[in-house]
Amino acid sequence: MYKAPLQDRYRRRLNYLRVSVTDRCNLRCVYCVPRETIPRMSHLEILRYEEILRIIRIGVSLGITKIRITGGEPLVRKDLLPFLEQLTHLEGLTDIALTTNGVLLQDYLKPLQAAGIKRLNISLDSLRRDRFAELTGSDHFDRVWAAIEAAHGMGFNPIKLNVVAMRDINDDEFHDIAALTRTLPYHVRFIEYMPMGNPNLPGDPYMSNDEVRQRLEQTDILEPVPRSGNDGPAQRFRYPGAPGEVGFISPLSHHFCDSCNRLRPTAGGKLRTCLL
């Protein structure tokens, strides 16, 4: 066990690793992929699973309790499942989740569950098939939605649906997406668009989560949800009597740098303190 909590020089308690296992992705989301080509890392530049596990073990010895496996798209990396099985058997971790775009998820649900993964974060910026194709570059909405429903039926919990809020792009769907939480135990997370790099988007799609919340509350009030010790930066709410949650992650309108609790090991072995 660690003898003292892991803190940075700003006295922030660090207990969360967001671990990228690959830089590859099978989608080309317009707010993520720049107009110019991103050079891919070679196989030799990517950390081996053994190296990633060593980093995580060191982190756990220093007080890390929460892990998110990300990419790129983690499910495109070969032999991910044996790695996850080893990860879920590490003592000291209380929260292990997989972040995915959902395209390959349905074929992996049973082995993921067998490996010990219970929590899923799934990107879903639209409930419209045509718009999903425009935003991601692939007509895979039906596959992603089928995977979400299958995961719910198998007992994965929580299932978090991450929505990048973009003005004049998907803002007409916010009510419909949030309404999923009225009848289903999904955790919808509205994430402010972050203007990084050179994305394939016209105009300025940024809108604050204050505005998103105001729009949602035109039909019904959102009640605060008590925070837990492992919570990230999301402000959590739910509709009265709803089984699910509506959350807001607001890196631009409500800076949460002072309470950030995460480190980001990259697929190439860099250790980042911030997405930026």
Side-chain angles (χ1 to χ4, degrees):
M1 276 305 278
Y2 60 93
K3 297 180 180 180
L6 182 62
Q7 291 185 338
D8 65 11
R9 61 182 176 175
Y10 301 105
R11 299 186 181 276
R12 295 180 297 186
R13 168 77 169 87
L14 305 175
N15 68 343
Y16 178 6
L17 291 183
R18 291 184 64 94
V19 182
S20 173
V21 296
T22 180
D23 66 330
R24 307 295 175 91
C25 187
N26 50 354
L27 295 181
R28 293 184 60 84
C29 295
V30 292
Y31 54 77
C32 180
V33 178
R35 295 183 180 92
E36 63 272 12
T37 301
I38 301 176
R40 292 182 173 181
M41 300 176 70
S42 71
H43 178 72
L44 294 177
E45 293 176 293
I46 300 293
L47 290 179
R48 302 192 310 273
Y49 286 128
E50 294 84 358
E51 294 172 315
I52 297 174
L53 284 168
R54 181 168 183 261
I55 291 171
I56 293 173
R57 288 191 184 101
I58 292 171
V60 171
S61 74
L62 296 171
I64 295 295
T65 60
K66 182 175 180 178
I67 300 286
R68 289 289 183 276
I69 300 301
T70 70
E73 167 52 45
L75 294 180
V76 303
R77 180 161 178 179
K78 185 179 178 181
D79 296 326
L80 180 69
L81 292 168
F83 160 74
L84 292 177
E85 188 170 2
Q86 292 182 72
L87 177 62
T88 57
H89 283 83
L90 292 182
E91 293 185 8
L93 294 176
T94 61
D95 185 333
I96 302 172
L98 177 76
T99 296
T100 173
N101 59 36
V103 173
L104 302 175
L105 181 59
Q106 190 164 16
D107 292 337
Y108 279 85
L109 285 174
K110 288 184 178 179
L112 283 172
Q113 195 170 63
I117 298 296
K118 302 173 183 177
R119 306 166 69 91
L120 297 172
N121 291 20
I122 303 169
S123 299
L124 188 72
D125 299 316
S126 175
L127 298 176
R128 288 175 38 181
R129 180 179 175 182
D130 58 336
R131 181 172 289 165
F132 181 95
E134 292 175 2
L135 291 173
T136 66
S138 299
D139 185 12
H140 289 318
F141 173 79
D142 293 342
R143 293 178 63 176
V144 174
W145 186 249
I148 292 170
E149 292 186 313
H152 170 55
M154 292 174 61
F156 283 86
N157 185 56
I159 297 172
K160 295 183 180 180
L161 305 181
N162 295 332
V163 185
V164 177
M166 294 173 284
R167 188 183 306 279
D168 298 328
I169 294 177
N170 63 349
D171 55 339
D172 58 337
E173 295 190 69
F174 293 166
H175 281 282
D176 292 338
I177 297 173
L180 294 172
T181 69
R182 292 182 181 272
T183 56
L184 295 162
Y186 299 155
H187 292 194
V188 168
R189 294 287 189 263
F190 289 99
I191 304 172
E192 287 181 345
Y193 166 75
M194 297 181 69
M196 300 190 306
N198 188 20
N200 296 306
L201 286 173
D204 181 9
Y206 170 77
M207 61 188 302
S208 75
N209 267 334
D210 290 335
E211 182 179 350
V212 177
R213 182 181 170 189
Q214 288 170 3
R215 291 196 190 188
L216 295 181
E217 291 194 311
Q218 289 173 355
T219 57
D220 204 349
I221 193 70
L222 286 166
E223 301 174 337
V225 173
R227 294 180 62 83
S228 65
N230 258 351
D231 274 357
Q235 296 176 300
R236 299 168 56 197
F237 300 86
R238 65 162 44 98
Y239 290 114
E245 294 184 9
V246 177
F248 303 96
I249 299 176
S250 312
L252 297 186
S253 65
H254 295 278
H255 302 304
F256 45 79
C257 299
D258 62 329
S259 60
C260 183
N261 63 342
R262 68 194 63 189
L263 292 171
R264 298 172 178 267
T266 71
K270 305 292 185 182
L271 188 62
R272 308 292 188 194
T273 55
C274 181
L275 185 64
L276 292 171

